[in-house]
Amino acid sequence: MTNIVLFGKPGAGKGTQAAFLKDKYNLVHISTGDLFRYNISNATKLGKLAQSYIDRGDLVPDEVTIQMLQEEVEKNPEAEGFLFDGFPRTIAQAEALDAFLEGKGMSIRATVALEADDEVLVKRIVERGKVSGRADDQDETKIRNRFVEYNEKTAPLMDYYKKQGKYHSVDGIGTIEEITKRLSDTIDTIKG
Ligand code: AP5
Ligand code: MG
């Protein structure tokens, strides 16, 4: 089973690239951000709980996010592998994911990060905000708060996965096709 974490700052291209990689490697794509937005648009209990955090650009509390992720994995018993997008985002989430997968005889094969400079990413998100309808894309203060959250809570995961020998990164600047190629080359090397 090939379980891959697609890692990167807000706007790095995780969702864009996941759309290609899930088909190429026959993986189930799980984006916690997409799941939260689905719940918000359907006004579920989970959506109502998550909305205020997301709208501010803050991370949603770990317990809620971890449980949602686990339920999504459970819904796909036939999966050949998972492509995790936007999860884990804290050390507690990464530890919970490792323990959860281990309980199922699975593990994370690799974490592949898209690297890009903050200023490029802020421009991308501001541009997307004109059409996305995402509250957290709308003003630069919220967008920058997402980077603060990333730096404080998510960046430590690089060392977490490096210590496990699972961290790989690619340049996230270029055309979408060029970046898909870089990611695929990395994944092919890992899969052997
Ligand atoms: P989430 O939805 O995961 O948002 P994000 O991480 O901030 O990242 P984005 O989805 O905005 O960017 P992306 O990397 O997917 O890039 P994309 O492909 O869209 O999370 C939203 C919120 O939910 C969080 O802030 C938090 O509140 C909550 N949440 C989610 N997961 C959580 C967790 N695990 N724990 C706690 N809270 C959680 O591309 C961005 C833009 O750039 C697009 O317009 C795209 O068209 C464009 N683009 C893509 N590639 C290129 C390229 N190569 N060149 C030029 N433009 C490009
Ligand atoms: Mg995304």
Side-chain angles (χ1 to χ4, degrees):
M1 221 184 186
T2 308
N3 297 311
I4 292 172
V5 174
L6 197 52
F7 192 80
K9 289 178 178 173
K14 301 181 294 294
T16 303
Q17 295 299 330
F20 297 102
L21 298 175
K22 73 177 170 54
D23 290 337
K24 177 157 187 185
Y25 296 102
N26 204 13
L27 304 173
V28 173
H29 173 212
I30 300 182
S31 158
T32 41
D34 289 349
L35 286 171
F36 283 131
R37 282 184 289 278
Y38 175 84
N39 277 280
I40 289 170
S41 64
N42 287 286
T44 66
K45 198 172 152 213
L46 175 64
K48 284 176 193 155
L49 195 159
Q51 181 155 26
S52 59
Y53 296 98
I54 294 188
D55 286 359
R56 286 195 299 270
D58 290 340
L59 292 187
V60 178
D62 281 336
E63 317 81 74
V64 178
T65 311
I66 290 166
Q67 195 189 336
M68 178 179 75
L69 185 282
Q70 292 181 348
E71 283 171 11
E72 205 57 27
V73 169
E74 306 277 10
K75 279 182 200 163
N76 291 280
E78 308 296 323
E80 286 181 28
F82 292 91
L83 183 58
F84 298 109
D85 160 2
F87 187 98
R89 257 167 145 113
T90 62
I91 295 282
Q93 290 179 17
E95 288 173 348
L97 180 62
D98 278 348
F100 173 69
L101 292 177
E102 198 185 325
K104 298 186 162 304
M106 305 195 291
S107 61
I108 292 296
R109 190 70 163 270
T111 292
V112 190
L114 289 163
E115 287 187 336
D117 181 73
D118 285 12
E119 296 314 310
V120 176
L121 300 181
V122 171
K123 278 198 195 116
R124 280 188 194 174
I125 295 173
V126 167
E127 206 43 49
R128 183 180 61 188
K130 295 175 187 166
V131 294
S132 70
R134 276 177 60 170
D136 61 342
D137 282 355
Q138 298 307 322
D139 84 69
E140 206 166 315
T141 318
K142 288 177 184 174
I143 296 171
R144 294 209 179 264
N145 185 47
R146 286 155 66 188
F147 288 84
V148 172
E149 287 281 86
Y150 173 91
N151 289 332
E152 281 179 8
K153 297 172 184 168
T154 309
L157 291 180
M158 289 188 238
D159 270 345
Y160 180 89
Y161 285 114
K162 275 179 192 163
K163 278 186 195 142
Q164 296 188 3
K166 291 179 181 171
Y167 187 82
H168 307 263
S169 64
V170 308
D171 182 359
I173 303 294
T175 66
I176 289 168
E177 296 75 21
E178 281 165 350
I179 297 164
T180 307
K181 171 94 172 54
R182 285 175 205 151
L183 289 168
S184 302
D185 288 349
T186 305
I187 293 169
D188 290 341
T189 313
I190 297 158
K191 280 169 70 88

